[in-house]
Amino acid sequence: MSFFAKRFTKTVAGQHLLSGTVRQMSLVAKVLRYGEFGEPAKVLRLQEEPVPEPKDGEVLIRTLGAPINPADINTIQGKYPVKPTFPAVGGNECVGEVVAIGGGGGGGGASLKVGDRVVPFATGLGTWRSHAIYSAGQLMKVPAGIDVAEAATITVNPCTGYRMLKDFVSLEAGDTVIQNGANSACGQAIIQLCRAWNIECVGVVRDRPEFGQLKDYLKGLGAAEILTEEELRTTKLFRDGIFRKPKLALNCVGGKNALEMSRQLDQAGVMVTYGGMSREPVTVPTASLIFKDLRFVGFWMTRWTKENAASPARAEMFNELFGLIDRGALKAPAHEMIAFDEYISAVTNALNIQGFVGKKYIFKF
């Protein structure tokens, strides 16, 4: 008898499935889909579709939380390097609960059981849906005790920060890292990772009326200092030896902001660019290349994931990240859980610049 035909009483996505029926029961998923590029609020459509029974090697999950990332918005707009096949489902991260395992739990799903919490670590799967069937090999079990917000946001920003801090410069306790966009979700993860590894993290943010409140919040996460873009131009933090000159600069803004950060780098320092929020190019002074021997490189987490899906480095990274979360050293960014049905409000707010300054919107189901 199939999973859907068994006699049982179960609550799935708020619907009570009555016992006493032997016909195949139809589980309906809500899916946020789009058929053309454009502004998310205009092109996204909330649809319903039946969920098939998982086959051997497949796992059916009920989604618990799925965040809205800047890359998700850019993908829907058609501005991201990855171009989906239409019709496409939005989203690239989620955490879900295992509802059923095809083939009686075999076919690669033997390590998972019903009730486990999992995250998909493959990219481009389309996670803005209430239920989904994934290959067992696309899922990673989340340790018990990890909250929905931390689990739903683990595979993009914390991993991006982790790799940039580990892969480009050999950092030691007491070294300094400088980053712009320090109040972004990735920036908040970087601050916490630096604190956990005893690295001084100096963050740069745009000036704003609530700058003092934001500064206190980021320093509470572990930032050594927070500067406005204007303060960065005249700071004496490194010149006067208050902090060591940065070995590493992490850039998600570009333009003049990135240029000012590069001027603070130590000899043979490295700037890693992983975003371009200002939509302005990174300008590299010739003297910085010749006389300071600076390096300017780029990083894209999607590429790293594809190239290292089965590598020991990936397993080591997640083990360490989950360990940090477990002991309270790494928390989800400031966020708001929002009902899936309220997707228009969520994606509209995420489009505003305010949506990218620390508040992460996470769909709840």
Side-chain angles (χ1 to χ4, degrees):
M1 186 177 294
S2 75
F3 167 77
F4 291 97
K6 290 180 180 178
R7 300 167 61 92
F8 66 98
T9 301
K10 188 177 181 67
T11 299
V12 178
Q15 297 181 348
H16 197 57
L17 305 182
L18 299 177
S19 63
T21 177
V22 294
R23 61 179 175 82
Q24 181 166 324
M25 306 181 74
S26 178
L27 181 63
V28 177
K30 291 184 177 181
V31 181
L32 207 47
R33 186 175 276 114
Y34 59 108
E36 61 180 325
F37 293 127
E39 295 308 317
K42 294 182 179 180
V43 300
L44 286 170
R45 298 290 183 270
L46 188 60
Q47 302 175 344
E48 293 187 346
E49 63 183 24
V51 180
E53 182 179 353
K55 300 175 182 178
D56 188 31
E58 293 182 336
V59 178
L60 169 64
I61 74 165
R62 177 175 67 91
T63 308
L64 302 175
I68 303 173
N69 290 314
D72 301 329
I73 298 294
N74 294 153
T75 299
I76 296 168
Q77 293 170 325
K79 299 177 180 178
Y80 203 65
V82 176
K83 298 296 189 291
T85 301
F86 294 132
V89 178
N92 202 47
E93 278 188 296
C94 76
V95 60
E97 179 183 0
V98 174
V99 175
I101 300 173
S111 63
L112 297 176
K113 63 182 184 298
V114 172
D116 282 346
R117 286 190 176 184
V118 293
V119 297
F121 58 80
T123 60
L125 297 177
T127 57
W128 292 352
R129 57 175 91 217
S130 64
H131 299 78
I133 291 180
Y134 297 110
S135 165
Q138 295 173 323
L139 297 173
M140 177 177 60
K141 184 176 177 179
V142 176
I146 303 296
D147 288 341
V148 168
E150 276 78 16
T153 58
I154 188 69
T155 60
V156 174
N157 291 306
C159 291
T160 298
Y162 184 101
R163 297 266 53 105
M164 292 193 299
L165 291 170
K166 289 282 190 179
D167 293 349
F168 296 94
V169 172
S170 179
L171 295 170
E172 300 175 352
D175 284 341
T176 303
V177 169
I178 188 169
Q179 66 159 333
N180 55 26
N183 51 340
S184 66
C186 189
Q188 292 178 54
I190 289 166
I191 288 171
Q192 294 176 83
L193 290 172
C194 285
R195 177 181 60 184
W197 298 333
N198 297 313
I199 297 166
E200 305 285 9
C201 183
V202 175
V204 182
V205 299
R206 292 179 300 104
D207 197 6
R208 65 201 69 208
E210 67 277 15
F211 171 71
Q213 181 181 354
L214 176 60
K215 181 175 182 177
D216 290 343
Y217 171 73
L218 295 177
K219 293 189 77 169
L221 290 180
E225 189 56 87
I226 298 295
L227 305 173
T228 65
E229 294 177 347
E230 291 75 18
E231 290 173 335
L232 176 63
R233 297 186 181 97
T234 59
T235 186
K236 296 182 180 180
L237 289 176
F238 313 116
R239 192 185 319 162
D240 292 350
I242 298 173
F243 297 108
R244 298 176 188 174
K245 288 186 178 182
K247 290 184 175 181
L248 180 66
L250 304 177
N251 167 48
C252 66
V253 177
K256 293 181 180 180
N257 188 306
L259 174 61
E260 293 298 334
M261 279 208 310
S262 72
R263 289 173 173 162
Q264 307 299 332
L265 279 170
D266 198 5
Q267 190 77 16
V270 177
M271 174 175 282
V272 181
T273 293
Y274 67 103
M277 292 171 61
S278 72
R279 302 189 184 279
E280 297 176 355
V282 176
T283 303
V284 181
T286 302
S288 295
L289 298 174
I290 297 174
F291 303 115
K292 290 187 69 176
D293 193 25
L294 300 187
R295 282 199 302 132
F296 294 80
V297 299
F299 179 75
W300 188 25
M301 191 66 214
T302 298
R303 179 174 56 238
W304 190 94
T305 299
K306 289 181 178 179
E307 294 174 351
N308 296 273
S311 73
R314 188 189 69 84
E316 179 183 347
M317 174 179 67
F318 278 112
N319 285 338
E320 186 166 5
L321 290 174
F322 283 133
L324 290 171
I325 293 172
D326 186 57
R327 65 173 187 261
L330 179 62
K331 299 178 181 180
H335 61 275
E336 178 180 339
M337 304 294 293
I338 189 164
F340 195 40
D341 291 347
E342 299 177 16
Y343 71 94
I344 292 178
S345 174
V347 297
T348 299
N349 290 336
L351 264 174
N352 298 331
I353 190 67
Q354 289 82 3
F356 295 155
V357 295
K359 178 183 281 190
K360 176 73 67 179
Y361 292 92
I362 302 175
F363 287 125
K364 60 181 178 180
F365 297 82

